[in-house]
mmCIF file of all heavy atoms in Angstrom:
data_model
loop_
_atom_site.group_PDB
_atom_site.id
_atom_site.type_symbol
_atom_site.label_atom_id
_atom_site.label_comp_id
_atom_site.label_asym_id
_atom_site.label_seq_id
_atom_site.Cartn_x
_atom_site.Cartn_y
_atom_site.Cartn_z
ATOM 1 N N ALA A 78 101.278 119.091 88.384
ATOM 2 C CA ALA A 78 102.004 119.163 87.114
ATOM 3 C C ALA A 78 103.495 119.088 87.391
ATOM 4 O O ALA A 78 104.003 119.803 88.249
ATOM 5 C CB ALA A 78 101.659 120.450 86.383
ATOM 6 N N PRO A 79 104.218 118.226 86.675
ATOM 7 C CA PRO A 79 105.652 118.064 86.920
ATOM 8 C C PRO A 79 106.503 119.213 86.381
ATOM 9 O O PRO A 79 107.676 119.322 86.735
ATOM 10 C CB PRO A 79 105.989 116.759 86.203
ATOM 11 C CG PRO A 79 104.955 116.646 85.139
ATOM 12 C CD PRO A 79 103.711 117.288 85.680
ATOM 13 N N LEU A 80 105.922 120.045 85.529
ATOM 14 C CA LEU A 80 106.653 121.175 84.949
ATOM 15 C C LEU A 80 105.657 122.132 84.326
ATOM 16 O O LEU A 80 104.479 121.825 84.196
ATOM 17 C CB LEU A 80 107.660 120.687 83.900
ATOM 18 C CG LEU A 80 107.235 119.627 82.877
ATOM 19 C CD1 LEU A 80 106.234 120.130 81.866
ATOM 20 C CD2 LEU A 80 108.446 119.082 82.172
ATOM 21 N N SER A 81 106.144 123.299 83.957
ATOM 22 C CA SER A 81 105.312 124.245 83.221
ATOM 23 C C SER A 81 105.376 123.870 81.751
ATOM 24 O O SER A 81 106.450 123.573 81.227
ATOM 25 C CB SER A 81 105.811 125.677 83.416
ATOM 26 O OG SER A 81 105.636 126.072 84.751
ATOM 27 N N GLY A 82 104.225 123.867 81.115
ATOM 28 C CA GLY A 82 104.190 123.505 79.706
ATOM 29 C C GLY A 82 102.772 123.277 79.244
ATOM 30 O O GLY A 82 101.814 123.739 79.871
ATOM 31 N N GLN A 83 102.637 122.534 78.159
ATOM 32 C CA GLN A 83 101.322 122.260 77.593
ATOM 33 C C GLN A 83 101.034 120.770 77.661
ATOM 34 O O GLN A 83 101.874 119.943 77.297
ATOM 35 C CB GLN A 83 101.249 122.738 76.145
ATOM 36 C CG GLN A 83 99.853 122.634 75.570
ATOM 37 C CD GLN A 83 99.726 123.343 74.236
ATOM 38 O OE1 GLN A 83 100.716 123.704 73.611
ATOM 39 N NE2 GLN A 83 98.495 123.553 73.791
ATOM 40 N N LEU A 84 99.844 120.447 78.150
ATOM 41 C CA LEU A 84 99.369 119.068 78.156
ATOM 42 C C LEU A 84 98.803 118.807 76.760
ATOM 43 O O LEU A 84 97.816 119.424 76.369
ATOM 44 C CB LEU A 84 98.292 118.874 79.225
ATOM 45 C CG LEU A 84 97.609 117.514 79.289
ATOM 46 C CD1 LEU A 84 98.613 116.425 79.622
ATOM 47 C CD2 LEU A 84 96.500 117.533 80.319
ATOM 48 N N ILE A 85 99.465 117.945 76.001
ATOM 49 C CA ILE A 85 99.030 117.733 74.611
ATOM 50 C C ILE A 85 98.470 116.335 74.364
ATOM 51 O O ILE A 85 97.966 116.056 73.287
ATOM 52 C CB ILE A 85 100.166 118.018 73.605
ATOM 53 C CG1 ILE A 85 101.306 117.024 73.772
ATOM 54 C CG2 ILE A 85 100.646 119.444 73.704
ATOM 55 C CD1 ILE A 85 102.245 116.975 72.589
ATOM 56 N N GLY A 112 100.600 113.486 78.436
ATOM 57 C CA GLY A 112 101.833 113.873 77.756
ATOM 58 C C GLY A 112 102.006 115.382 77.761
ATOM 59 O O GLY A 112 101.082 116.118 77.409
ATOM 60 N N PHE A 113 103.190 115.826 78.176
ATOM 61 C CA PHE A 113 103.492 117.251 78.301
ATOM 62 C C PHE A 113 104.618 117.662 77.358
ATOM 63 O O PHE A 113 105.557 116.902 77.142
ATOM 64 C CB PHE A 113 103.950 117.577 79.728
ATOM 65 C CG PHE A 113 102.928 117.299 80.786
ATOM 66 C CD1 PHE A 113 102.855 116.050 81.391
ATOM 67 C CD2 PHE A 113 102.036 118.279 81.190
ATOM 68 C CE1 PHE A 113 101.917 115.778 82.368
ATOM 69 C CE2 PHE A 113 101.093 118.021 82.176
ATOM 70 C CZ PHE A 113 101.031 116.771 82.772
ATOM 71 N N ILE A 114 104.526 118.889 76.858
ATOM 72 C CA ILE A 114 105.624 119.540 76.155
ATOM 73 C C ILE A 114 106.117 120.641 77.098
ATOM 74 O O ILE A 114 105.369 121.573 77.413
ATOM 75 C CB ILE A 114 105.182 120.153 74.803
ATOM 76 C CG1 ILE A 114 104.701 119.050 73.853
ATOM 77 C CG2 ILE A 114 106.316 120.967 74.197
ATOM 78 C CD1 ILE A 114 105.760 118.060 73.422
ATOM 79 N N PRO A 115 107.365 120.531 77.579
ATOM 80 C CA PRO A 115 107.883 121.518 78.529
ATOM 81 C C PRO A 115 108.027 122.910 77.899
ATOM 82 O O PRO A 115 108.504 123.037 76.775
ATOM 83 C CB PRO A 115 109.260 120.967 78.913
ATOM 84 C CG PRO A 115 109.243 119.524 78.504
ATOM 85 C CD PRO A 115 108.309 119.445 77.335
ATOM 86 N N ALA A 116 107.632 123.944 78.637
ATOM 87 C CA ALA A 116 107.763 125.318 78.141
ATOM 88 C C ALA A 116 109.231 125.681 77.944
ATOM 89 O O ALA A 116 109.573 126.389 76.992
ATOM 90 C CB ALA A 116 107.100 126.291 79.116
ATOM 91 N N GLU A 117 110.116 125.192 78.817
ATOM 92 C CA GLU A 117 111.531 125.547 78.740
ATOM 93 C C GLU A 117 112.338 124.642 77.805
ATOM 94 O O GLU A 117 113.507 124.920 77.550
ATOM 95 C CB GLU A 117 112.163 125.511 80.137
ATOM 96 C CG GLU A 117 111.579 126.555 81.070
ATOM 97 C CD GLU A 117 112.208 126.502 82.443
ATOM 98 O OE1 GLU A 117 112.564 125.407 82.917
ATOM 99 O OE2 GLU A 117 112.335 127.576 83.050
ATOM 100 N N GLY A 143 95.553 120.165 75.483
ATOM 101 C CA GLY A 143 95.589 121.495 74.894
ATOM 102 C C GLY A 143 95.774 122.591 75.927
ATOM 103 O O GLY A 143 96.101 123.726 75.587
ATOM 104 N N GLU A 144 95.588 122.258 77.186
ATOM 105 C CA GLU A 144 95.683 123.238 78.265
ATOM 106 C C GLU A 144 97.139 123.472 78.675
ATOM 107 O O GLU A 144 97.942 122.552 78.684
ATOM 108 C CB GLU A 144 94.890 122.685 79.461
ATOM 109 C CG GLU A 144 94.627 123.653 80.560
ATOM 110 C CD GLU A 144 93.732 123.044 81.637
ATOM 111 O OE1 GLU A 144 92.815 122.265 81.303
ATOM 112 O OE2 GLU A 144 93.970 123.355 82.798
ATOM 113 N N ARG A 145 97.454 124.706 79.011
ATOM 114 C CA ARG A 145 98.767 125.031 79.570
ATOM 115 C C ARG A 145 98.688 124.870 81.081
ATOM 116 O O ARG A 145 97.696 125.248 81.698
ATOM 117 C CB ARG A 145 99.172 126.458 79.228
ATOM 118 C CG ARG A 145 99.426 126.640 77.749
ATOM 119 C CD ARG A 145 100.297 127.851 77.485
ATOM 120 N NE ARG A 145 100.675 127.915 76.097
ATOM 121 C CZ ARG A 145 101.682 127.252 75.548
ATOM 122 N NH1 ARG A 145 102.414 126.464 76.283
ATOM 123 N NH2 ARG A 145 101.966 127.368 74.274
ATOM 124 N N VAL A 146 99.741 124.286 81.654
ATOM 125 C CA VAL A 146 99.782 124.082 83.104
ATOM 126 C C VAL A 146 101.052 124.710 83.657
ATOM 127 O O VAL A 146 102.057 124.830 82.954
ATOM 128 C CB VAL A 146 99.726 122.582 83.482
ATOM 129 C CG1 VAL A 146 98.398 121.965 83.072
ATOM 130 C CG2 VAL A 146 100.883 121.806 82.868
ATOM 131 N N ALA A 147 100.990 125.082 84.915
ATOM 132 C CA ALA A 147 102.156 125.626 85.606
ATOM 133 C C ALA A 147 102.726 124.536 86.505
ATOM 134 O O ALA A 147 101.979 123.697 87.032
ATOM 135 C CB ALA A 147 101.755 126.837 86.439
ATOM 136 N N ALA A 148 104.034 124.529 86.694
ATOM 137 C CA ALA A 148 104.680 123.552 87.575
ATOM 138 C C ALA A 148 104.019 123.601 88.950
ATOM 139 O O ALA A 148 103.801 124.674 89.497
ATOM 140 C CB ALA A 148 106.167 123.853 87.694
ATOM 141 N N GLU A 150 100.949 122.872 89.669
ATOM 142 C CA GLU A 150 99.494 123.039 89.584
ATOM 143 C C GLU A 150 98.803 121.688 89.766
ATOM 144 O O GLU A 150 99.286 120.663 89.290
ATOM 145 C CB GLU A 150 99.153 123.627 88.212
ATOM 146 C CG GLU A 150 97.692 123.870 87.956
ATOM 147 C CD GLU A 150 97.456 124.436 86.558
ATOM 148 O OE1 GLU A 150 98.318 125.176 86.039
ATOM 149 O OE2 GLU A 150 96.410 124.109 85.975
#
Side-chain angles (χ1 to χ4, degrees):
L80 44 69
S81 293
Q83 187 169 14
L84 175 63
I85 65 163
F113 298 89
I114 297 295
E117 295 180 326
E144 192 175 324
R145 293 201 173 277
V146 295
E150 180 181 328

